[in-house]
Amino acid sequence: MTLVEPSVGSAAETFRSTNPASGALVAEFPVADEAAVTAAVERARTAAHAWADLGFDGRRQRLAAYRGYLARRMHELADLVHRENGKPHADAVLEITLAVDHLAWAGAHAKKTLGPRSVNPGLLAANHQAVLEYQPLGVVGVIGPWNYPVFTPMGSIAYALAAGNAVVFKPSEFTPAIGVWLAEAWSAAVPDAPDVLQVVAGLGPTGTALCRAGVGKIAFTGSAATGRKVMATCAETLTPVLMECGGKDAMIVDDDADVAAAADAAVWGAMSNAGQTCIGIERVYATTAVYDSFVAAVTDQVRALRPGSDDDASYGPMTMRSQTEVVQRHLDDAAATGGRAVVGGSVDGGYVAPTVLLDVPESSAAVQEETFGPTLTITRVADAEQALELANGTSLGLGGSVFAGSARRGMDLARRMRSGMTSVNSVITFASVPALPFGGVGESGFGRIHGEDGLREFTRAKAITRQRFPLPVALMSFGRPAKAADALARVMGLVHGRHR
Ligand code: NAD
């Protein structure tokens, strides 16, 4: 089962996705209405039982078949990503590679992370076996964005499936064909469990219907503004939520940093994917010692970038017009508040010129709000402490980067950065390490995908005790002898009483 058709009797509304570079039609799909979403979730509920019964090894084998399928058809999917999202083919290949890697990790580590284990029963329950295990939630609803239409939803889908859940996925209305392709690939690669991964295509209301459909959890990735609406809808049914929202990630460049490496990383972190990266670098705080050389190195590189839709372009068009409007507003606000663009600063149709902004005040929208475009502000600071204070000064806190010569200093700054993830002497690396959890703080959201935490996110902890033999004196019984409390107090005195 892949695309859910509108239910019988409902208006056969459709919607279209287009190529952001040419405006050409990419695909047209029926909108999945409430009835269609409910039906998909019902099918998933049935499928989830058999999927859970397969056990970790059975699921691992099928997840391997899925990743094998994706790897074999890498170019076909990358071509679709290029057409529907606009990013260069090579960047799409990189994105799919990351997703495949996560599928492999999730499948390989689910058993060890979630399977039953005995834990120490403690003193009072010494005659019991204590077992902890992580059980699937049943059906997980995944609501995804358009900017990394394969990698981002797969960060939830792979981990939810490996943990034993079925998934109903609502892709972004800007990249529905990619979502449908992923579900069709699942049906082809795992023909004995097609309803375990289904897609419901549609706009916001389709996502709302998924929130109300009685799923075990909603894994939402998108803007903080939509995240609030998703939480409000899920509150109606006490449906738990995972929130992967936007970022305003900062890079700190310390006195002893490798300036050339920092500049190279900042430009890639800010401009790749046309800056439409939740963990993209949007702000740099460079100390006085390195500021001038850093700005020179960045501007040199940025001048060589060229947006376009061909294979050699540095990055593609903005995926949708509304995004160019946000970037334009931030550029205008930066200019109006004393900032200046030393490179770029213009928006031409669907393309934003690679832009470096200097002297932008901290209060500006270009520094405080997620821009999601190929722009970078660079701010001079006295030292790394001031850089850290400013880096931590927005309501968002997703990722970030520190460039420092001293490993100790770099790690210290990384720990104190108010974000869920930080890379030292590189950008974005944390996202490529499947064993590391991914998620933010503040308005960037809560909960984690990837790694062991990402597997546990799609489960509920189950605690079981099993009495192995009865004790001569049962403490939790109305039949206990009167002196049992004295004996217990004496034992406690011996075990804990010596601690002062
Ligand atoms: P968005 O918030 O506009 O939409 C996200 C998804 O929510 C879409 O599928 C949309 O159809 C759906 N939706 C819209 N209204 C809804 C409603 N009322 N109820 C339920 N679902 C609804 O986000 P976007 O523009 O698609 O994506 C860009 C944003 O995503 C950026 O802020 C970016 O930083 C963020 N993002 C975060 C991560 C992360 O892992 N933290 C990853 C990628 C993107």
Side-chain angles (χ1 to χ4, degrees), residues 158-174:
Y159 291 80
L161 291 177
N165 303 281
V167 169
V168 177
F169 170 37
K170 207 300 271 177
S172 166
E173 54 271 44
F174 293 98

Side-chain angles (χ1 to χ4, degrees), residues 112-123 125-134 456 461-466 468:
K112 184 166 167 279
T113 310
L114 308 174
R117 88 227 26 207
S118 286
V119 298
N120 190 330
L123 193 66
N127 58 324
H128 295 254
Q129 182 193 14
V131 177
L132 166 64
E133 63 187 54
Y134 293 89
R456 289 199 191 99
K462 175 80 181 186
I464 303 173
T465 62
R466 182 183 62 81
R468 290 182 297 142

Side-chain angles (χ1 to χ4, degrees), residues 258-350:
D258 178 337
V259 171
D264 188 60
V267 174
W268 168 262
M271 316 276 166
S272 59
N273 207 34
Q276 302 170 122
T277 304
C278 56
I279 47 172
I281 298 296
E282 300 213 346
R283 309 172 281 155
V284 178
Y285 297 100
T287 62
T288 298
V290 296
Y291 178 84
D292 289 335
S293 53
F294 179 79
V295 170
V298 166
T299 48
D300 263 6
Q301 280 204 28
V302 170
R303 284 199 178 96
L305 298 183
R306 181 182 59 80
S309 65
D310 55 291
D311 279 350
D312 296 328
S314 314
Y315 59 80
M318 305 304 280
T319 303
M320 79 278 283
R321 184 153 297 278
S322 58
Q323 206 44 56
T324 60
E325 289 163 9
V326 174
V327 176
Q328 185 67 63
R329 181 167 63 77
H330 287 194
L331 292 176
D332 292 346
D333 192 60
T337 51
R340 61 196 168 93
V342 281
V343 189
S346 61
V347 179
D348 179 11

Side-chain angles (χ1 to χ4, degrees), residues 434-458:
L436 283 177
F438 186 106
V441 304
E443 292 201 15
S444 291
F446 51 83
R448 293 292 181 265
I449 53 173
H450 303 177
E452 293 184 355
D453 297 273
L455 285 165
R456 289 199 191 99
E457 189 74 41
F458 298 107

Side-chain angles (χ1 to χ4, degrees), residues 16-235:
R16 294 165 166 215
S17 70
T18 51
N19 182 323
S22 64
L25 178 72
V26 174
E28 181 165 359
F29 295 109
V31 171
D33 63 5
E34 197 181 316
V37 171
T38 307
V41 170
E42 280 312 313
R43 276 193 300 277
R45 224 185 290 286
T46 305
H49 291 298
W51 183 244
D53 287 347
L54 279 175
F56 292 107
D57 294 334
R59 292 196 294 268
R60 177 183 183 162
Q61 186 208 330
R62 284 156 181 83
L63 287 168
Y66 187 42
R67 89 176 122 94
Y69 187 99
L70 297 186
R72 288 191 299 278
R73 286 170 175 75
M74 181 91 69
H75 282 302
E76 179 190 325
L77 178 56
D79 178 57
L80 178 60
V81 172
H82 170 65
R83 283 189 292 121
E84 198 171 47
N85 161 285
K87 72 180 67 183
H89 185 92
D91 285 355
V93 167
L94 183 60
E95 175 180 347
I96 300 161
T97 301
L98 286 168
V100 167
D101 223 22
H102 278 282
L103 270 165
W105 196 93
H109 291 80
K111 189 175 187 173
K112 184 166 167 279
T113 310
L114 308 174
R117 88 227 26 207
S118 286
V119 298
N120 190 330
L123 193 66
L124 281 176
N127 58 324
H128 295 254
Q129 182 193 14
V131 177
L132 166 64
E133 63 187 54
Y134 293 89
Q135 299 181 343
L137 303 172
V139 182
V140 169
V142 174
I143 299 177
W146 47 266
N147 61 331
Y148 286 85
V150 177
F151 173 67
T152 293
M154 202 54 77
S156 294
I157 293 170
Y159 291 80
L161 291 177
N165 303 281
V167 169
V168 177
F169 170 37
K170 207 300 271 177
S172 166
E173 54 271 44
F174 293 98
T175 51
I178 298 164
V180 168
W181 193 99
L182 289 173
E184 284 177 351
W186 175 266
S187 299
V190 190
D192 65 345
D195 287 347
V196 163
L197 174 58
Q198 299 174 69
V199 158
V200 286
L203 291 81
T206 301
T208 306
L210 188 55
C211 294
R212 292 199 171 117
V215 295
K217 187 166 212 165
I218 287 286
F220 170 78
T221 307
S223 62
T226 308
R228 283 190 182 84
K229 292 184 198 161
V230 166
M231 281 184 76
T233 308
C234 286

